[in-house]
Amino acid sequence: MEFLKSAVASAVSRGPAFGYSLGDRVDLSDSIWALHNGTKKEDGSKCSIFAFDINANKSRLPLAKNALRKWRTLRHPGVVKVLDTLETDTNIYVATERVVPLGWHVKRQALNTETIKWGLYSLSTTMRFINEDASSIHGNLRVSSIYTTESGEWMLAGFEVLSSLKEEDPAIYKYGGLLPDSSRYAAPEISRGGWDGLKNQAIHVTDSWNMGTLMYEIFNGYFMSSDQLTQTKSIPPQMGTPYKRLTQTNPKMRLPIAHFLEQGKRSGGFFDTPLIRCSEFIENMGVKDEREREEFLQNLEDTKDQFPEEFFKAKVLPELLKSVEYGGGGPKVFSVVLMIAEKLSDEEWEASITPAVVRLFASPDRAIRVFLLDNLPKMIDHLSKKVVSDNIFPQLVTGFSDVAPVVREQTVKSILVIINKLSDRQINGDLLKYLAKTQNDEQPGIRTNTTICLGKIAKNLGSHTRSKVLVAAFTRSLRDPFIHARNAALMALAATAEVFDDNDCATKCLPAICPALIDKEKVIRVQAQKTLEIFLARLKTLTANMPESALPPVDANGLPNPTGAGGVPRMGTPQTDASWAGWAISSFTKKLGVTGEMQPEGSGPMTQAEENGTTLGTPTVPVTVQISSRPGSSRSASASELHRQAVSSPSSTVRNNYATSLVADNDDDNDMDAWGDMDDTPKPVVEEKPKPSSIGKSGFGRTDLTEDDVINSFTRKPKSALPKGLGKKTPVSGSSSTGMATKSKPVISRVVASKPTAKKAVLAKKTEEADGDAWGTDNWDVDWK
């Protein structure tokens, strides 16, 4: 075998230029031709090559030359298609479409009844053309003369004795006896009177007889002599009578193949099958109207399991793709295409379906676009990343700006399908730009789906854009009047909580979620509670390893002590058991230049006023305060005693007014309108030490300062406005779209020993700075259009 292959290749190389390469030999028949798989040198496409060795078969050379001449001139869909021929002194080559011998399937009994009927129908159509239209006799109709294409169609060859009765010297009369096994397949009249006896017979008699023997051989798998033809048990009952008429020994009673074809095509006949109807319709699909096309497609979906896979892949699929792209087949046709494509390999998908999909995405037909977007999940696994990012995505994003809402909505949904096949530049650049537009779409459903889309693709966003974009998008959706858009924002925040750091969770996400807790819709309130719990748990995890304080330790003299050795708590640091008022008084005391140490001495019994809640909150830990007016002079007092004296001096009116102002200012913290810049941290206040010359009416800096003077300085109601943070502030301009007016947080100011005019200037300056720092939520609602 290898020697024959090399000899053939050597002969081809020595002859004229032939644009095809020979491969393995694949035939198993008794034909005069040796069939090889081949490839076209120019593009590597598949083909078959029929080779005839002249030196080995000189006696049959007339048969090969007659076949070559007829093959070149005969054109019919049922004939093996010739691509090129080459004739040398030693060989004859015929390059054709890729085919395989029908004998392969017959010997393996791999053909079902429906496929055999379809094949016989194709052969009958071709033979009617040869007998009636071409007025010719084939004379060699047998299994070895029939081949199947990649689509499963039966194609006719074996034109060794094909003769036209219009010729002066028909080849069948002279060379019919040279055919391999000619006596086994010869009709009874030829066996009796030779091939010349055909001159007195009708043109169809030989081919009709051979059609009968072919049917017997296909259904039974073998044919040895004409005595077997009477056994019809394997022939389908519907074809029994026509088969008997084809194999009549009397040539005048023999049924012409054209009549055999007409009988089968009648309604309910043996050729009236779904597979044959489908084949007929596909070949003429371009001239069918819309109603006929829809009926055909419906039947095709119902009977798809009855057809050979090769028929769908190589015959139906190309015709359907042509109809979709150029014949106006529409989504209905393309749905059948995808049904067939499920059985294709990745290589077949890339070769046949992918180019069509890329072209269809560029189509202006909205129905096709919507269908492609709906069925993108079925196609995405077969599309490479390069095809999606370079060819499909640039066409797909045009749907974000389409005037039809359904196209915009389906485009947003399709992002979830293709996101893994897009580049980082496309995701963090072009895609976010288009999603920003759809989040402001006039259709509430599109806005909702955009929020859902952002939540699901959060892990695909870049780390530098993820937090900024998601916070801005989700907080915007939380203000959406559409209930489902708000619910989607809350669910998206809950699903993406892990992507936010502690600062974003505390300063951006939680403030945005809290208003939803009092939403008018219960479903929003319930979801807001769930989302809030997720973020609180997230913050608890993030802050679990944080230090207890960021302040450096101090020594006994109040100086920074980085080593921490012998350090004591700073005056003004909140203690575990201290109330807010106690911490505030400690802060005021520190601002007076007071130095001292907090020494726990045990808690004393509560007074009646404390039990009734009329005090500002007495510290539970007694504190010894040492007040220094000049070097060498000091006085000590218990913090509890100091506080009791403060709250009991001059009058209860002053005390109640002071408490009321604290309570009122504390309520402002719960007002969303009072929230300011959540990203800024409080700026440290620089203490101003009293100068020797700054002794005024207030008494600060005096050497004869008594304890009562100090207490009265805390309880005396100031004539001017309260320090920053202890009174209501006028809302500043620049409130957000949610109606959140911005106010500064209450801050307890430190009292600085100075002249009255200097003190007022400092307070005015701090108030002005606080007003300038306040801004609304719009300042951190990122505009990412």
Side-chain angles (χ1 to χ4, degrees):
M1 181 67 69
E2 291 296 330
F3 172 78
L4 178 60
K5 179 180 176 181
S6 61
V8 171
S10 176
V12 171
S13 63
R14 291 194 301 269
F18 192 55
Y20 299 87
S21 300
L22 272 74
D24 297 332
R25 184 169 178 173
V26 296
D27 66 322
L28 300 175
S29 63
D30 52 1
S31 173
I32 67 172
W33 300 94
L35 179 62
H36 295 262
N37 285 332
T39 55
K40 190 175 182 179
K41 295 179 181 179
E42 182 179 356
D43 55 7
S45 58
K46 298 178 181 180
C47 68
S48 293
I49 299 177
F50 290 82
F52 179 80
D53 189 352
I54 295 176
N55 295 328
N57 297 282
K58 287 184 178 180
S59 61
R60 291 173 175 170
L61 181 59
L63 298 178
K65 288 192 174 185
N66 183 71
L68 180 62
R69 184 174 66 254
K70 297 296 184 179
W71 222 340
R72 285 172 176 171
T73 58
L74 189 61
R75 292 289 183 268
H76 190 271
V79 174
V80 176
K81 183 180 179 181
V82 177
L83 303 177
D84 198 2
T85 61
L86 175 64
E87 186 175 0
T88 66
D89 296 337
T90 57
N91 293 277
I92 298 176
Y93 301 101
V94 181
T96 68
E97 59 183 318
R98 176 61 66 90
V99 293
V100 295
L102 178 64
W104 281 17
H105 308 291
V106 173
K107 291 180 183 297
R108 292 186 293 112
Q109 297 183 350
L111 301 172
N112 57 41
T113 302
E114 293 300 317
T115 303
I116 293 175
K117 289 181 179 180
W118 176 43
L120 292 175
Y121 172 80
S122 300
L123 287 176
S124 300
T125 303
T126 305
M127 289 303 303
R128 182 182 62 179
F129 167 77
I130 291 175
N131 291 158
E132 295 188 353
D133 299 338
S135 300
S136 301
I137 302 174
H138 187 277
N140 191 27
L141 187 60
R142 58 180 77 174
V143 171
S144 59
S145 300
I146 303 170
Y147 300 87
T148 61
T149 64
E150 292 181 332
S151 63
E153 296 176 277
W154 291 12
M155 296 293 180
L156 183 61
F159 303 121
E160 288 79 0
V161 292
L162 178 64
S163 304
S164 174
L165 298 183
K166 299 178 181 179
E167 297 176 351
E168 296 181 0
D169 191 11
I172 190 170
Y173 300 150
K174 294 175 58 177
Y175 306 113
L178 297 177
L179 290 171
D181 291 332
S182 60
S183 59
R184 181 155 59 107
Y185 292 99
E189 60 273 12
I190 296 176
S191 300
R192 292 191 299 265
W195 291 90
D196 289 339
L198 294 177
K199 297 178 180 179
N200 300 322
Q201 301 294 337
I203 195 173
H204 68 274
V205 292
T206 300
D207 292 332
S208 295
W209 174 267
N210 289 146
M211 176 63 77
T213 59
L214 175 67
M215 290 175 60
Y216 181 88
E217 190 169 9
I218 290 174
F219 281 109
N220 291 275
Y222 61 90
F223 172 72
M224 298 303 296
S225 66
S226 58
D227 297 337
Q228 298 173 300
L229 298 177
T230 56
Q231 302 173 8
T232 61
K233 62 179 181 179
S234 58
I235 305 296
Q238 278 187 310
M239 305 180 72
T241 302
Y243 164 76
K244 292 179 180 179
R245 293 191 59 189
L246 288 172
T247 56
Q248 282 285 340
T249 57
N250 185 358
K252 294 182 179 180
M253 299 292 295
R254 204 168 292 159
L255 181 68
I257 295 179
H259 293 176
F260 171 73
L261 178 63
E262 292 300 326
Q263 288 184 14
K265 290 177 64 177
R266 293 173 183 172
S267 179
F270 50 85
F271 284 154
D272 186 18
T273 65
L275 181 56
I276 294 175
R277 290 195 299 268
C278 176
S279 177
E280 286 288 297
F281 190 93
I282 283 294
E283 293 178 355
N284 303 282
M285 191 170 183
V287 297
K288 301 294 184 179
D289 58 28
E290 187 67 23
R291 183 188 59 79
E292 293 175 321
R293 186 179 299 168
E294 290 183 0
E295 182 180 356
F296 161 73
L297 294 174
Q298 184 61 44
N299 294 334
L300 189 63
E301 291 180 355
D302 296 339
T303 59
K304 63 180 185 299
D305 297 331
Q306 303 177 14
F307 303 156
E309 291 186 10
E310 295 78 9
F311 172 73
F312 273 105
K313 293 179 182 179
K315 182 66 176 179
V316 179
L317 186 59
E319 296 297 329
L320 293 179
L321 288 175
K322 291 178 183 177
S323 176
V324 172
E325 292 190 65
Y326 311 112
K332 185 65 176 178
V333 176
F334 198 74
S335 65
V336 181
V337 170
L338 293 181
M339 177 191 68
I340 299 172
E342 292 177 356
K343 300 180 180 180
L344 299 180
S345 63
D346 290 340
E347 292 77 12
E348 292 172 332
W349 233 95
E350 185 176 358
S352 58
I353 307 297
T354 298
V357 171
V358 172
R359 290 192 295 267
L360 288 174
F361 263 106
S363 172
D365 189 344
R366 286 193 177 92
I368 287 291
R369 171 62 67 88
V370 172
F371 181 84
L372 289 172
L373 296 174
D374 285 341
N375 291 272
L376 200 54
K378 299 179 181 178
M379 303 184 289
I380 194 64
D381 292 336
H382 301 283
L383 300 173
S384 65
K385 185 174 181 179
K386 180 176 178 59
V387 170
V388 173
S389 61
D390 295 349
N391 302 111
I392 293 180
F393 181 73
Q395 298 294 336
L396 182 144
V397 295
T398 60
F400 285 111
S401 305
D402 197 277
V403 296
V406 65
V407 177
R408 299 198 301 273
E409 183 171 8
Q410 293 301 324
T411 303
V412 172
K413 293 180 180 179
S414 68
I415 296 301
L416 300 178
V417 181
I418 68 171
I419 188 68
N420 292 326
K421 296 198 174 184
L422 299 180
S423 64
D424 292 339
R425 178 186 59 81
Q426 290 173 321
I427 295 174
N428 296 287
D430 298 338
L431 179 58
L432 291 182
K433 179 182 67 175
Y434 287 111
L435 290 178
K437 294 181 179 178
T438 56
Q439 201 187 28
N440 290 325
D441 197 275
E442 60 182 6
Q443 297 293 325
I446 296 177
R447 299 196 302 269
T448 304
N449 285 328
T450 302
T451 302
I452 296 172
C453 177
L454 285 170
K456 291 188 175 183
I457 68 172
K459 61 181 181 298
N460 300 98
L461 300 178
S463 57
H464 62 287
T465 59
R466 181 186 301 141
S467 177
K468 179 174 67 174
V469 170
L470 294 183
V471 169
F474 296 158
T475 54
R476 179 186 299 172
S477 295
L478 284 172
R479 303 190 296 267
D480 198 295
F482 188 51
I483 178 175
H484 298 292
R486 301 197 301 276
N487 193 45
L490 291 169
M491 297 177 69
L493 279 169
T496 59
E498 296 297 326
V499 307
F500 301 107
D501 58 18
D502 53 352
N503 185 64
D504 287 340
C505 288
T507 63
K508 296 180 180 179
C509 297
L510 286 177
I513 295 171
C514 288
L517 295 171
I518 56 172
D519 195 276
K520 295 181 180 179
E521 302 293 336
K522 182 179 180 181
V523 64
I524 302 299
R525 297 194 298 272
V526 172
Q527 185 59 46
Q529 182 67 33
K530 295 178 181 178
T531 305
L532 186 67
E533 292 174 357
I534 292 174
F535 273 89
L536 290 176
R538 168 73 172 159
L539 279 174
K540 185 177 180 181
T541 302
L542 292 172
T543 58
N545 298 324
M546 284 182 130
E548 294 183 2
S549 175
L551 298 176
V554 296
D555 56 15
N557 297 323
L559 299 177
N561 185 11
T563 61
V568 295
R570 290 184 57 182
M571 192 68 176
T573 303
Q575 300 302 308
T576 305
D577 296 328
S579 65
W580 181 87
W583 170 78
I585 292 176
S586 300
S587 298
F588 278 121
T589 306
K590 188 174 184 302
K591 292 180 181 181
L592 290 175
V594 179
T595 60
E597 296 180 359
M598 300 179 64
Q599 300 176 359
E601 299 177 358
S603 58
M606 296 179 62
T607 64
Q608 184 65 30
E610 291 171 340
E611 292 180 357
N612 296 334
T614 59
T615 67
L616 296 177
T618 306
T620 59
V621 180
V623 180
T624 301
V625 181
Q626 180 178 357
I627 305 176
S628 300
S629 59
R630 63 177 179 269
S633 176
S634 64
R635 292 187 62 180
S636 300
S638 170
S640 299
E641 296 174 357
L642 178 67
H643 181 63
R644 283 194 293 271
Q645 294 176 14
V647 300
S648 61
S649 59
S651 65
S652 61
T653 304
V654 174
R655 179 193 63 199
N656 292 336
N657 291 341
Y658 182 68
T660 303
S661 66
L662 290 177
V663 173
D665 285 343
N666 191 33
D667 288 342
D668 285 346
D669 283 347
N670 296 327
D671 186 1
M672 285 297 293
D673 292 343
W675 283 58
D677 187 358
M678 294 183 290
D679 290 334
D680 291 346
T681 55
K683 298 181 180 179
V685 179
V686 180
E687 298 186 12
E688 295 185 9
K689 296 182 179 180
K691 298 181 181 180
S693 60
S694 59
I695 302 176
K697 295 181 180 181
S698 62
F700 290 138
R702 292 169 47 190
T703 58
D704 57 346
L705 191 65
T706 65
E707 180 177 342
D708 293 336
D709 295 333
V710 174
I711 300 301
N712 292 335
S713 68
F714 292 113
T715 58
R716 187 181 298 116
K717 183 175 181 180
K719 297 180 180 180
S720 60
L722 288 175
K724 176 182 176 181
L726 295 183
K728 289 281 186 175
K729 293 183 64 66
T730 303
V732 242
S733 60
S735 61
S736 64
S737 59
T738 56
M740 295 176 59
T742 308
K743 298 180 181 180
S744 59
K745 296 183 180 180
V747 179
I748 302 177
S749 305
R750 299 184 179 181
V751 180
V752 180
S754 61
K755 294 182 180 180
T757 57
K759 180 178 180 181
K760 292 180 179 181
V762 171
L763 292 176
K765 180 178 180 181
K766 291 180 179 179
T767 304
E768 180 180 358
E769 290 176 355
D771 292 342
D773 290 340
W775 54 303
T777 56
D778 284 341
N779 290 345
W780 56 267
D781 189 4
V782 181
D783 186 6
W784 49 296
K785 292 184 179 180

